[in-house]
């Protein structure tokens, strides 16, 4: 029982201690309040599901990335969720299939993946998200990008920037403007992703070279993208991107990296990634997609606020604690709580107010500094 | 992909749809706010841990009841938590071993067990709890029973009743007053639990028969228990029970069932179970215990509010939604949200305010009934 190794947690998993747990709870509460205020109704899918069901609703969701185990009840394979978007899609396509569209749903919960990586060793994450089901227009995308920014701001993120991308860009260009056969497309996508000009030429994607330079500050990059689109096959997409940018440009710094994929494999014409000052890595991502099975269009985003928690936890305010001495007046203690104080009750003469983190004490009929 | 069985959830697992999810979120928030106000700091342990570590901190916690799987990183067996108390004990005994005592921690999260039963088919539950580590006195028990009642009241439970029990009663009596050898104790405990007078006699526990009648309304049952304790071996316990009852008797109906075990196997001298009017089954339980490994004394409780969610979800208030027509004034929409309205933005001329659940619309410069 005293084996010290039994106290260690598996790699990539951790306990949140009070400062960190309070920051995570506040961030979750603040973000969910914004989604609620914008008309998104919360749903809560279970932590585990049939592996097949989890995979069916979203192309590209790797069940190999999930912990799986056999259910002794059904004798079928279950998976611990690594993403809640597919679960919300399932709810939209089944229990809420008759609800009016667009359907606005939001969610928050823990997700677990089987393996971390060097950039992101964490295996359990808090995922907070919103899905707008039944619409994937520029208006829908604008609403969702603005909502994601508002949720992150309410959670305490500052100087947010949003990177736009066009997930189906290569397919669109390859079909008309810069023909590629099927076998070349993957290589071209990969070299664009790696931003490797030499590799791109070797893969037969020389025509795609200008895409490597149509990146950066949104207006400038969008103009470059428009300039290289001589046949106009991207015209609709560029108009839509500008519509979204016009809506959210006042609230965040916008960039465009049209061929960036961000590990996103299931999105359709639009995707975006969110960053904030002082926070390592991306805080969230979203875009337009189709729900597997029903084929219904949707626009959504997920926030992963772990690094925001890391950035703010040291300064998280846990409130002031008032020590309640033995024999204190319980009515006065309740009044102090009503005013926002946290109370800590003495159980024993030996209880030490200062050691217990109290800055105040209830005495002489009121709250006083220790 | 359209296989309808892929949409079914495993037995004992369910989606919370908006009414139910909102009720669960409100209940969690309200209960956690009460624990916070009473000086309990939140911690968040991970969803999965080494199976061994999970089992080591609490006797009687059955790892057989947990989903287990091999971690490809460590090649060790992990378990999906079925209870958070052992995790909080681990935190108290490791990361917070140097924090001043009594240490007050609280937590909230999902827990999953491998099998439901007929009374309780649910396999995933929300667990909300508080642990007071370093004290298991009557004062600690009184604080924790009162706190559990306050948390349930804040969550919307009415007419709460609390059933007290003495988990080590048979051991205490068997050691002195009504001797039993080791081999008889289990049988006597079992027959007392089954309230089977005939079985109790057969098991050699005739002397324990009066315990079957020392149950019911607290004062009456405590008097009966005191009357049968001719040697006074229970005197200290009865004094303590009365001390707890004196503290919380004004807030809840109290009963005593001294030999009831409630499936609790790890508690020491005191345990309690919480019920509320109109809610099926127990809403929570708690008591005094020792942390495995460190042996430190503690007092705590866990609430399982699933049936409270069921009882209140139909009446849960999701707030009023205001439809924002195309081209609405965004500043006015933000003002409406600031006043507590939920807004639903039109994305398309075809969007139907009433079908989308809106009772109001933003027009002529303000919020108006639809």
């Amino acid at each position: 029982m005293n084996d010290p190794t039994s106290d260690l947690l598996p790699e990539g998993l951790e306990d949140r201690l009070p400062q960190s747990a309070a920051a995570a709870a506040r961030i979750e509460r603040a973000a969910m309040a914004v989604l609620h205020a914008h008309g998104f109704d919360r749903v809560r899918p279970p932590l585990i599901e049939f592996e097949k069901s989890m995979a069916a609703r979203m192309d590209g969701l790797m069940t190999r990335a999930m912990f799986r185990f056999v259910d002794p009840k059904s004798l079928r394979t279950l998976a611990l969720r690594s993403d809640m978007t597919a679960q919300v899609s399932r709810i939209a396509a089944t229990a809420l299939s008759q609800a009016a569209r667009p359907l606005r749903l939001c969610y928050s919960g823990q997700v677990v993946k089987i393996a971390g990586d060097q950039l992101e060793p964490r295996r359990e994450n808090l995922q907070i998200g919103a899905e707008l089901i039944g619409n994937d227009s520029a208006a829908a995308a604008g609403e969702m990008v603005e909502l994601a920014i508002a949720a992150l701001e309410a959670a305490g993120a500052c100087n947010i920037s949003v990177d736009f991308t066009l997930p189906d860009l290569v397919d669109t260009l390859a079909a008309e403007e810069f023909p590629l056969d099927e076998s070349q497309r993957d290589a071209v996508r990969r070299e664009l992703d790696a931003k490797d000009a030499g590799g791109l030429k070797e893969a037969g994607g020389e025509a795609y070279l200008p895409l490597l330079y149509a990146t950066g500050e949104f207006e400038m990059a969008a103009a470059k993208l428009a300039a290289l689109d001589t046949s106009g096959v991207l015209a609709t997409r560029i108009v839509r991107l500008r519509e979204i940018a016009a809506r959210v440009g006042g609230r965040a710094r916008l960039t465009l990296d049209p061929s960036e994929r961000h590990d996103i494999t299931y999105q359709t014409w639009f995707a975006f990634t969110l960053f904030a000052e002082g926070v390592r890595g991306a805080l969230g991502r979203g875009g337009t997609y189709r729900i597997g099975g029903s084929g219904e269009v949707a626009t959504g985003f997920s926030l992963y606020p772990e690094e925001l928690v890391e950035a703010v936890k040291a300064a998280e305010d846990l409130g002031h604690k008032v020590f309640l001495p033995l024999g204190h007046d319980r009515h006065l203690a309740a009044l102090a709580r009503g005013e926002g104080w946290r109370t800590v009750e003495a159980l024993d003469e030996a209880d030490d107010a200062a050691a217990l983190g109290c800055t105040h004490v209830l005495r002489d009929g009121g709250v006083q500094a220790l």
Side-chain angles (χ1 to χ4, degrees), chain A:
Chain A
M1 302 270 279
N2 268 321
D3 174 12
T5 65
S6 72
D7 297 329
L8 294 174
L9 288 173
E11 196 179 323
L13 296 167
E14 60 172 12
D15 290 319
R16 289 199 179 287
L17 298 182
Q19 290 287 136
S20 164
R26 179 188 51 73
I27 286 168
E28 183 182 13
R29 204 163 51 233
M32 291 302 285
V34 168
L35 306 186
H36 176 81
H38 286 79
F40 287 73
D41 287 331
R42 184 170 188 162
V43 290
R44 283 204 187 206
L47 281 176
I48 56 180
E49 287 202 20
F50 290 127
E51 176 191 18
K52 272 200 178 171
S53 166
M54 205 84 91
R57 291 289 162 201
M58 192 155 301
D59 295 336
L61 183 70
M62 303 297 243
T63 56
R64 272 181 305 158
M66 301 184 203
F67 282 106
R68 286 164 294 168
F69 33 87
V70 172
D71 180 10
K73 287 260 177 191
S74 61
L75 300 178
R76 291 176 59 186
T77 303
L78 305 183
L80 179 56
R81 68 182 178 210
S82 65
D83 184 280
M84 294 175 75
T85 312
Q87 297 188 298
V88 174
S89 294
R90 177 180 51 67
I91 292 172
T94 55
L96 299 180
S97 65
Q98 299 307 308
R101 265 44 177 178
L103 177 63
R104 288 173 171 86
L105 299 177
C106 65
Y107 54 91
S108 174
Q110 301 298 120
V111 295
V112 180
K113 58 188 176 184
I114 207 164
D117 53 43
Q118 237 167 350
L119 265 176
E120 175 48 61
R122 208 175 268 121
R123 295 203 275 173
E124 177 171 347
N125 283 283
L126 172 61
Q127 180 179 13
I128 299 172
E131 310 294 332
L132 194 161
I133 292 135
N135 195 319
D136 67 349
S137 65
E143 174 178 343
M144 296 309 272
V145 174
E146 185 170 21
L147 183 61
I149 295 168
L152 284 177
E153 281 176 349
C158 299
N159 291 332
I160 293 166
S161 60
V162 187
D163 191 31
F164 291 173
T165 184
L166 292 170
D168 65 356
L169 179 68
V170 171
D171 284 329
T172 306
L173 290 173
E176 279 190 51
E177 187 135 2
F178 306 137
L180 287 177
D181 55 44
E182 280 289 342
S183 64
Q184 287 173 301
R185 288 189 196 181
D186 272 350
V188 166
R189 267 194 287 256
R190 196 167 47 240
E191 301 303 336
L192 279 170
D193 219 28
K195 309 227 183 309
D196 181 341
L200 195 55
K201 278 192 215 170
E202 270 174 47
E206 193 159 358
Y208 289 77
L209 278 173
L211 283 180
L212 294 181
Y213 307 99
T215 65
E217 186 277 318
F218 177 78
E219 279 306 335
M220 189 200 66
K224 286 185 183 170
L225 187 64
L228 73 87
D229 177 36
T230 49
S231 75
V233 67
L234 297 179
T236 316
R237 280 175 175 70
I238 294 169
V239 167
R240 287 180 184 171
L241 286 178
R242 286 185 165 139
E243 190 179 332
I244 302 167
R247 172 150 184 185
V248 301
R251 294 192 72 160
R253 194 174 78 89
L254 303 184
T255 56
L256 173 65
D257 191 347
S259 63
E260 174 67 49
R261 290 193 299 175
H262 294 299
D263 290 330
I264 297 164
T265 56
Y266 61 89
Q267 266 136 347
T268 52
W269 71 272
F270 174 66
F272 62 101
T273 307
L274 299 144
F275 302 89
E277 191 178 310
V279 178
R280 194 179 70 90
L283 268 175
R285 45 188 46 140
T288 58
Y289 60 97
R290 277 183 189 276
I291 294 179
S294 72
E296 191 168 17
V297 296
T299 310
F301 64 83
S302 293
L303 307 177
Y304 297 94
E306 305 290 343
E307 290 296 334
L308 180 58
V309 173
E310 292 306 306
V312 305
K313 69 182 185 186
E316 190 68 23
D317 180 10
L318 297 188
H320 284 289
K321 289 180 180 168
V322 180
F323 188 70
L324 305 177
L326 289 176
H328 67 272
D329 180 329
R330 295 218 163 120
H331 178 64
L332 286 180
L335 282 179
R337 283 190 295 272
E339 289 166 4
W341 296 96
R342 301 177 68 192
T343 58
V344 173
E345 189 171 327
L347 297 174
D348 190 292
E349 283 294 352
D351 286 353
D352 179 337
L356 291 171
C358 297
T359 52
H360 292 73
V361 58
L362 189 72
R363 77 181 150 210
D364 304 335
V367 172
Q368 302 191 355
L370 248 193

